Amino acid sequence: MEIIKEQAMLGITGMLEQVDAMTRQMNKNLWGDQFRNCFSDTLLRTLHIQDDGSVYLVTGDIPAMWLRDSTAQIEPYLILAKSNEVFRHLIAKLVQKQCEYIIIDPYANAFNQQPNSHGHQTDQTSMSPWVWERKYEIDSLCYPVRLAYLLYKQTGYTWHFNETFLQAVKEIVTLFRTEQRHESSTYSFERFDERPEDTLVNDGKGAQVGYTGMTWSGFRPSDDACRYGYLIPANMFAVVILTYLTEIIGKFYDESALTEEIGRLRDEIQKGIDKYGIVEDALTGKKVFAYEVDGLGNYTLMDDANVPSLLSAPYLGYCDAEDEVYLNTRELLLSDRNPYYYSGSVASGIGSSHTPDQYIWPIALAMQGLTTNSRNEKERLLDLLVGTTAGTMQCHESFDVNNESQYTREWFSWSNMMYCRLLLNYLELDR
C-alpha cells in the first residue's frame, strides 16, 4: 500500500513548487518553507493505508483518529483532488472510514485503527473496542458530511455516496433528533480524574436544559465539557451540513421521506438559533451570538479556539463574513471581553479551557485570517504563525503569548493544515 502514499507525495510536488515560487517572489521564504513542511507532514506521518485499502489518519502525537481532525487534516488536499485521481480516491476512502465509525458508535469522537480497546476504556460510558474516546460532540458528525459534500462539489466525484454513507446519515439524523430532547437520551459520560472539563455533571448527563429545537452536545470541539448543553457554533455547523444532506439525499438516493425529515430538522435547529442563540450585548446593545445556551435563560459570551467556533461561522458556510450579527460577535470575541482571548508580548489570540491560561492556538489565528476580507490582516497572521513555532516549523496546539518556546503538543496535524489553508487562501490558490 506504500505505492499509494508515494503517488500522493508525487501529487503534491507541483503545489509545493508553486507555493515556493510565489512566496519567494514576495520575499516570504519562511512562509513557503513552513508550507512545504506542514503540507507534506500529513501524508508522510499521519496517513495509514491499511491492508484492506481503507484510510486511517492519526491526529499527530496521539495514536487515534478523530472524525473532526481527520477531515481538517485532509481537506486542504481537495485543491489537488480536482485534477488528481489519487487524492479523489484517498479522500473518498477517508469518508468511507468515517462513516463506518459513525455506524459503530455515533456518539464517539475518536477511534482506534483496530478493535484493540486502546484509549479511554475506563470512562463511565458505553465503550466499543473500536472507540478511543466517547465524548459526544456535534461536530464529530458534521465534519465527515462536510468533507463528502466538498469532495463532490469540487470534483464531481460520487463514489462515496454509497449505502454506508446513507446508513451513517440515518444515524446522524436519529441522534440529532434524540438529542433535541436530551432528557430522553441514554447517553451519559463520566471520567474520574483531576480535570472537571473531562466529565459531565449530574451523573454524566450534563447540566439541565430546556427544549429549544436545537440539538444537545456534551462536549465542545476542544473535547472539554459544555457548560450549557446547546453549543451555538456546533448547531450552526449542523444547519450547514443538514442543508448539504437535503441536496445529497435528494439527488443520489430514493429517500424522499428522509430528505423531508432532514429539512424539517434543519429548520427546527435554525429557529432555535434565532430564538435562543442571538442575544443582546448588555455593554453595547448590539445583537451577538452566544457561545452556549441552556434554553432556560442562561448563556455564555465567549469563544473557544477549536472549530466549530463562533469565529468560524463564515468559514463553515453558515453566514457571510460581513453579516452584522457576526461582525458584532467577532468584535467581542477578539477582545478581552472573551475570557479566552489573551494578549502578550509575542502574540494575541484566542485560546481554550483545554490548554493553560495565556496560551493561544494557531488554529484560531488561522481561522481569524480565513474569516477576514483584509489581505493585510491575513499577511500579519501568516507572519505571526511562522514566527511562533519556536524554530520547529510546526504549528503546535497552543503557545504562551509571552514566550513561543512554551507550547503544548510538539506535533499536531490539524494545526499544521490550518496554516496551509490560510496560505493557500492568501495566495488565492483555493479557488
Side-chain angles (χ1 to χ4, degrees), residues 17-43:
E17 292 175 348
Q18 185 177 9
V19 169
D20 188 63
M22 294 176 74
T23 53
R24 291 186 184 282
Q25 188 175 22
M26 298 161 57
N27 293 317
K28 295 288 188 180
N29 295 9
L30 196 56
W31 288 9
D33 292 343
Q34 184 151 319
F35 181 86
R36 178 177 293 275
N37 189 47
C38 293
F39 203 65
S40 304
D41 182 81
T42 292
L43 289 180

Side-chain angles (χ1 to χ4, degrees), residues 174-343:
T174 298
L175 193 155
F176 282 179
R177 271 286 183 218
T178 298
E179 294 302 340
Q180 283 181 300
R181 300 184 183 277
H182 178 60
E183 69 278 1
S184 65
S185 170
T186 61
Y187 176 78
S188 66
F189 184 98
E190 290 179 283
R191 179 179 296 171
F192 301 105
D193 62 13
E194 297 180 358
R195 295 188 75 246
E197 297 89 352
D198 276 335
T199 195
L200 297 181
V201 299
N202 191 22
D203 296 324
K205 295 294 288 183
Q208 185 178 359
V209 294
Y211 178 80
T212 64
M214 289 184 285
T215 190
W216 177 90
S217 188
F219 292 85
R220 301 169 178 173
S222 62
D223 298 333
D224 284 354
C226 292
R227 179 180 179 185
Y228 303 123
Y230 299 118
L231 181 58
I232 300 303
N235 274 274
M236 290 174 171
F237 201 4
V239 168
V240 173
I241 68 100
L242 290 169
T243 301
Y244 293 164
L245 286 176
T246 59
E247 179 180 344
I248 294 169
I249 303 302
K251 186 169 186 178
F252 296 105
Y253 300 91
D254 184 18
E255 294 275 352
S256 58
L258 177 60
T259 304
E260 292 173 4
E261 167 67 0
I262 292 169
R264 283 193 297 270
L265 178 59
R266 175 200 58 204
D267 293 346
E268 290 170 16
I269 294 174
Q270 180 57 57
K271 288 177 182 177
I273 296 172
D274 292 340
K275 183 176 181 179
Y276 296 92
I278 300 175
V279 300
E280 184 176 296
D281 181 351
L283 184 64
T284 65
K286 297 177 179 179
K287 296 293 185 182
V288 296
F289 290 113
Y291 184 71
E292 292 172 352
V293 305
D294 63 3
L296 302 171
N298 297 301
Y299 61 87
T300 57
L301 293 181
M302 57 160 282
D303 207 14
D304 188 274
N306 292 265
V307 181
S309 57
L310 291 176
L311 188 65
S312 70
Y315 172 82
L316 298 174
Y318 179 77
C319 66
D320 187 84
E322 299 300 319
D323 176 85
E324 182 179 1
V325 178
Y326 173 74
L327 288 175
N328 294 341
T329 309
R330 183 185 180 92
E331 182 180 5
L332 185 154
L333 303 178
L334 298 176
S335 77
D336 59 10
R337 296 189 61 211
N338 175 5
Y340 295 105
Y341 185 83
Y342 305 123
S343 295

Side-chain angles (χ1 to χ4, degrees), residues 80-268:
L80 301 173
K82 295 176 182 179
S83 58
N84 188 308
E85 184 178 359
V86 172
F87 282 96
R88 287 195 295 273
H89 186 68
L90 279 177
I91 295 169
K93 281 288 190 178
L94 177 60
V95 171
Q96 176 81 10
K97 177 61 70 176
Q98 291 172 327
C99 289
E100 290 171 1
Y101 284 150
I102 288 170
I103 292 166
I104 289 171
D105 187 351
Y107 280 102
N109 57 326
F111 292 85
N112 294 311
Q113 192 168 0
Q114 301 294 336
N116 51 29
S117 296
H118 289 175
H120 298 278
Q121 291 290 319
T122 59
D123 291 341
Q124 300 301 297
T125 188
S126 178
M127 294 287 285
S128 159
W130 284 101
V131 171
W132 172 274
E133 186 172 64
R134 196 173 187 254
K135 289 179 173 177
Y136 174 56
E137 303 157 359
I138 293 171
D139 67 275
S140 295
L141 300 177
C142 294
Y143 270 104
V145 176
R146 171 182 167 89
L147 185 60
Y149 183 78
L150 292 180
L151 177 60
Y152 157 60
K153 295 301 286 189
Q154 295 187 24
T155 71
Y157 204 57
T158 60
W159 172 86
H160 50 296
F161 294 145
N162 51 31
E163 286 303 308
T164 302
F165 182 84
L166 179 62
Q167 188 177 347
V169 169
K170 290 178 178 178
E171 293 283 351
I172 293 169
V173 172
T174 298
L175 193 155
F176 282 179
R177 271 286 183 218
T178 298
E179 294 302 340
Q180 283 181 300
R181 300 184 183 277
H182 178 60
E183 69 278 1
S184 65
S185 170
T186 61
Y187 176 78
S188 66
F189 184 98
E190 290 179 283
R191 179 179 296 171
F192 301 105
D193 62 13
E194 297 180 358
R195 295 188 75 246
E197 297 89 352
D198 276 335
T199 195
L200 297 181
V201 299
N202 191 22
D203 296 324
K205 295 294 288 183
Q208 185 178 359
V209 294
Y211 178 80
T212 64
M214 289 184 285
T215 190
W216 177 90
S217 188
F219 292 85
R220 301 169 178 173
S222 62
D223 298 333
D224 284 354
C226 292
R227 179 180 179 185
Y228 303 123
Y230 299 118
L231 181 58
I232 300 303
N235 274 274
M236 290 174 171
F237 201 4
V239 168
V240 173
I241 68 100
L242 290 169
T243 301
Y244 293 164
L245 286 176
T246 59
E247 179 180 344
I248 294 169
I249 303 302
K251 186 169 186 178
F252 296 105
Y253 300 91
D254 184 18
E255 294 275 352
S256 58
L258 177 60
T259 304
E260 292 173 4
E261 167 67 0
I262 292 169
R264 283 193 297 270
L265 178 59
R266 175 200 58 204
D267 293 346
E268 290 170 16

